[in-house]
Amino acid sequence: DVKVTQSSRYLVKRTGEKVFLECVQDMDHENMFWYRQDPGLGLRLIYFSYDVKMKEKGDIPEGYSVSREKKERFSLILESASTNQTSMYLCASSIQGYEQYFGPGTRLTVT
Amino acid sequence: AQKVTQAQTEISVVEKEDVTLDCVYETRDTTYYLFWYKQPPSGELVFLIRRNSFDEQNEISGRYSWNFQKSTSSFNFTITASQVVDSAVYFCALSDNRDDKIIFGKGTRLHILP
């Protein structure tokens, strides 16, 4: 079974803090993705990566950065957290041309 | 531009009833993929099915079935004899052949009442 894990299920941070969300997959997938999910807005793609050290902006990259130093790990970074980044963050991975598999999500609250 | 529309925001049915979730998509590509995902209250999106644009055969998996009709750009999902455990948000999604990004619909929240 494909397994995608995320470092935390729940996270509470203060405005201005630097936040790291980690995602690890164990199936040697080339592609990894970060989404945020908000009520009424559905899933929105923040960043994705096709390979180690490669990254592509998604639909809403502002305020975020990513890092992919190893194939299995894709990190989402909030350089200076703001309250409008309070959301559910979902990580996914896939083989090229196939479905994405998702992690359990991290519910981030920025106060 | 690609688009996925799930017109039903929320549906409630009584247990054991059949229910169909609608999905209409837009794409200019001739090669594309369609997906359904389930998001139970725990929050994790669970992959249900992937269909490519050249395979219009309907699919059945237990109580779940999918009807893909290119003529109407629809990929509908039916749950037969619904159960309370089917209560979740269901997402229809679309991907083209150029990259592996997926466009999700807004989801349909399904309530199965005991």
Side-chain angles (χ1 to χ4, degrees):
Chain A
D1 275 354
V2 176
K3 190 155 186 189
V4 180
T5 58
Q6 295 184 228
S7 48
S8 307
R9 289 302 302 271
Y10 299 94
L11 207 54
V12 179
K13 295 291 182 181
R14 292 189 180 275
T15 301
E17 278 192 82
K18 191 168 185 176
V19 181
F20 293 87
L21 302 182
E22 305 285 342
C23 175
V24 177
Q25 49 94 3
D26 66 356
M27 288 302 293
D28 203 35
H29 285 175
E30 300 94 350
N31 304 324
M32 296 190 76
F33 306 82
W34 275 107
Y35 296 87
R36 64 177 284 176
Q37 183 178 18
D38 302 286
L41 297 177
L43 277 83
R44 294 181 291 168
L45 181 64
I46 304 171
Y47 268 97
F48 59 104
S49 169
Y50 290 130
D51 203 348
V52 176
K53 297 194 185 297
M54 293 183 67
K55 60 184 179 183
E56 298 279 345
K57 291 180 180 179
D59 302 318
I60 52 163
E62 298 78 17
Y64 303 93
S65 62
V66 290
S67 172
R68 193 164 180 203
E69 297 296 318
K70 293 185 177 181
K71 191 174 185 180
E72 68 270 19
R73 188 181 295 269
F74 192 35
S75 303
L76 180 70
I77 303 154
L78 287 65
E79 295 289 342
S80 178
S82 63
T83 55
N84 63 12
Q85 292 179 310
T86 291
S87 185
M88 168 72 97
Y89 290 88
L90 294 162
C91 175
S93 71
S94 73
I95 298 172
Q96 189 173 4
Y98 285 83
E99 61 276 6
Q100 293 179 17
Y101 289 90
F102 283 81
T106 296
R107 191 168 292 282
L108 173 68
T109 302
V110 182
T111 61
Chain B
Q2 296 185 321
K3 188 177 177 182
V4 176
T5 301
Q6 296 180 254
Q8 304 149 307
T9 307
E10 202 157 345
I11 302 175
S12 293
V13 300
V14 177
E15 197 173 18
K16 298 182 184 171
E17 286 185 358
D18 299 346
V19 58
T20 296
L21 309 183
D22 298 332
C23 174
V24 174
Y25 62 92
E26 294 176 29
T27 181
R28 294 181 193 167
D29 297 308
T30 55
T31 302
Y32 52 90
Y33 303 94
L34 295 163
F35 308 85
W36 275 94
Y37 284 85
K38 173 183 180 179
Q39 188 177 38
S42 60
E44 183 170 345
L45 267 83
V46 177
F47 165 72
L48 296 178
I49 190 171
R50 169 183 179 267
R51 219 58 180 148
N52 74 58
S53 52
F54 299 108
D55 183 1
E56 283 194 75
Q57 277 195 340
N58 291 334
E59 173 117 0
I60 299 175
S61 176
R63 296 183 297 106
Y64 294 175
S65 62
W66 290 269
N67 182 270
F68 176 27
Q69 293 197 343
K70 285 176 82 168
S71 60
T72 56
S73 298
S74 64
F75 186 43
N76 296 337
F77 173 30
T78 297
I79 302 175
T80 303
S82 60
Q83 299 176 1
V84 172
V85 292
D86 296 326
S87 297
V89 181
Y90 291 87
F91 292 93
C92 180
L94 167 70
S95 177
D96 62 29
N97 201 38
R98 286 188 295 277
D99 59 34
D100 289 307
K101 292 193 293 184
I102 292 181
I103 307 298
F104 286 86
K106 292 289 176 65
T108 297
R109 184 175 296 276
L110 177 62
H111 300 278
I112 308 298
L113 307 172

